[in-house]
Amino acid sequence: MAEREVPSRDTLAVWAGEGDPTWEGSTQVPVVHSVSFGYRSVDDWLDVARGRRPGYIYSRNKNPTVRAFEEKVRQLEGAEAATSFATGMAAVSNTLFTLLSPGDRVVSLRDTYGGTSKIFIEFCPRFRIEAVLCETTDHEAIEAEVAKGCKVLYLESPTNPTLKVVDLARLARAAHEVGAAVVVDNTLATPINQSPLELGADLVLHSATKFLGGHADALGGVVCGPAGLVHDIFHFREINGASLHAAPAYLLLRGIKTLHLRVARQNESALRIAQFLAGRPEVGEVFYPGLPSHENHEIAGRQMRGFGGVLSFSLKGGFEAVRQLLPRLKYAHMAANLGAVETLVGIPATTSHVECTAQEMESLGIPTGLIRYSVGIESCEDLMADLAAALDGLG
Ligand SMILES: *Cc1c(COP(=O)(O)O)cnc(C)c1O
């Protein structure tokens, strides 16, 4: 057998960050609800407070359960350091506002997650930060904006909900020429399907609420990258206060132990369902990077190990057909979430772009009649039969 330097992601998903049994030989990471950590000596307490030795003081700053979650994601992303947040949006906002100051310029894409677009459209101007949102797959236009100078290039791939894919290595090279930091939201791909740091990104972040946790029962966010940058973001977050709590950290930690199994199934089912939908007469366009007809299929094939569990499609019958179809699905929650074990369906106005006004959605080019379908881990045959029955009944 060939020698391997590091365990595979499958093994890391299970074992990374778990540490040695700590409390009464427990094999599972304890959920440490304690807000603060007590000391018997002022000198020991000072040593930890001054960073002279590791330890915990107060859970807004650091907590052992939260630490285990950060460590597991850190290893899966192959990063030097990781820090966590109460939500994915806290990961996005704390990262951006750590890196950006008044007068700075950030370049990003029109198709970022709705909450992220909202930061660029509503909040950046308030702090006199110029945010330039480029046509998502127009690499020349993005490179041209980056070449004018910027502090941050913020990317997301695949995007939500139209599953556009950008060439991360190419854009990271362009950003590094002007000394910009490259941040990639890897939520839809997961560390199983894509490793942005290997492709040249400086920071990779997740809404852990989605695939990482995988069970739609805990909110969380995480950012991974070089120790210095991650420490700056950690410091901003510990003062800003958007800290992850131990209880959701434990749920996320447990969810990640099956990440590789869930994502493998979801990759496989999403491709079959995308192919099935593309062959249905009621369906207009199908957006899935695994389809050869997808505009960025070639880039996706180069930078992803799998094409992910989310697809979207339009119906020829327009919004009225969407309104009829969604409630007919037996095996899909109509709910604003993705990446869970259960299949989820929704439309941009109630899911990815729920934070945006109709006008903002139009300016971002988000189609309203689109259905986002996040494939769960159910039998793919059952999901296709469910979709077929719902499509058959369309008036
Ligand atoms: C959901 C999501 C977020 C925000 O995460 P929350 O945990 O809901 O705050 C950010 N980016 C992407 C791609 C998402 O899907």
Side-chain angles (χ1 to χ4, degrees):
M1 232 166 76
E3 268 203 47
R4 295 153 59 118
E5 267 183 53
V6 287
S8 81
R9 284 179 196 83
D10 297 15
T11 304
L12 290 175
V14 178
W15 285 98
E18 298 288 312
D20 294 327
T22 46
W23 190 69
E24 301 281 342
S26 163
T27 62
Q28 300 305 309
V29 172
V31 186
V32 181
H33 283 284
S34 193
V35 165
S36 54
F37 299 84
Y39 290 84
R40 290 184 190 282
S41 128
V42 171
D43 289 329
D44 287 350
W45 197 0
L46 260 177
D47 278 350
V48 174
R50 295 278 175 262
R52 287 192 286 262
R53 64 181 185 82
Y56 299 93
I57 299 225
Y58 189 65
S59 282
R60 170 159 48 74
N61 316 104
K62 287 179 187 170
N63 169 284
T65 314
V66 171
R67 193 64 226 144
F69 161 73
E70 292 166 343
E71 180 59 16
K72 200 183 271 299
V73 183
R74 180 191 76 77
Q75 292 197 34
L76 282 168
E77 286 291 6
E80 203 180 8
T83 194
S84 62
F85 307 86
T87 64
M89 277 315 301
V92 175
S93 61
N94 282 263
T95 298
L96 285 171
F97 289 113
T98 299
L99 299 172
L100 294 164
S101 300
D104 285 340
R105 194 163 178 271
V106 50
V107 174
S108 188
L109 315 171
R110 291 219 304 172
D111 284 56
T112 54
Y113 176 73
T116 306
S117 313
K118 196 79 180 170
I119 293 182
F120 294 133
I121 296 170
E122 184 179 333
F123 294 101
C124 281
R126 260 186 59 197
F127 294 96
R128 288 189 289 113
I129 296 161
E130 187 194 350
V132 183
L133 304 185
C134 302
E135 191 56 50
T136 300
T137 54
D138 187 344
H139 289 77
E140 284 78 17
I142 301 167
E143 283 168 337
E145 284 299 340
V146 166
K148 291 181 193 165
C150 62
K151 194 81 182 288
V152 174
L153 173 64
Y154 185 96
L155 303 172
E156 195 177 312
S157 186
T159 62
N160 181 0
T162 46
L163 288 308
K164 290 176 185 153
V165 172
V166 296
D167 188 331
L168 298 176
R170 173 176 166 181
L171 295 176
R173 270 195 305 277
H176 290 151
E177 271 174 31
V178 297
V182 180
V183 182
V184 176
D185 182 335
N186 204 28
T187 299
L188 258 69
T190 82
I192 303 299
N193 285 333
Q194 179 169 276
S195 300
L197 299 179
E198 285 174 16
L199 296 165
D202 299 291
L203 292 163
V204 55
L205 61 83
H206 287 272
S207 167
T209 314
K210 312 292 172 53
F211 286 98
L212 291 184
H215 293 71
D217 55 4
L219 291 157
V222 59
V223 62
C224 308
L229 265 182
V230 169
H231 186 267
D232 291 346
I233 300 167
F234 157 76
H235 180 59
F236 189 82
R237 186 269 288 161
E238 70 171 338
I239 301 307
N240 210 18
S243 306
L244 181 63
H245 291 213
Y250 179 78
L251 292 173
L252 298 171
L253 192 61
R254 185 175 64 172
I256 300 174
K257 289 186 191 184
T258 56
L259 179 68
H260 52 302
L261 300 177
R262 288 185 280 109
V263 170
R265 167 64 76 90
Q266 286 162 320
N267 284 341
E268 200 181 300
S269 295
L271 180 59
R272 289 181 61 199
I273 290 169
Q275 287 163 341
F276 158 78
L277 287 170
R280 287 289 303 206
E282 303 87 348
V283 172
E285 276 186 283
V286 180
F287 302 94
Y288 186 65
L291 292 179
S293 60
H294 186 278
E295 63 165 329
N296 318 120
H297 178 65
E298 186 264 334
I299 302 172
R302 240 187 303 130
Q303 72 187 13
M304 300 180 78
R305 291 178 287 270
F307 299 109
V310 181
L311 58 102
S312 60
F313 60 102
S314 62
L315 292 177
K316 288 183 185 154
F319 193 69
E320 192 41 48
V322 172
R323 186 183 274 134
Q324 283 182 39
L325 182 94
L326 296 193
R328 289 214 188 105
L329 294 170
K330 264 197 301 188
Y331 301 122
H333 284 304
M334 269 172 58
N337 195 9
L338 60 85
V341 290
E342 298 98 357
T343 295
L344 288 140
V345 278
I347 57 172
T350 58
T351 60
S352 59
H353 288 71
V354 68
E355 286 94 353
C356 294
T357 62
Q359 209 177 9
E360 282 168 347
M361 276 182 57
E362 202 187 304
S363 81
L364 294 168
I366 301 299
T368 45
L370 200 72
I371 296 173
R372 186 180 75 195
Y373 192 89
S374 170
V375 183
I377 60 168
E378 303 91 340
S379 139
C380 189
E381 276 70 26
D382 289 341
L383 294 179
M384 288 193 292
D386 194 27
L387 281 162
L391 286 166
D392 283 342
L394 280 185

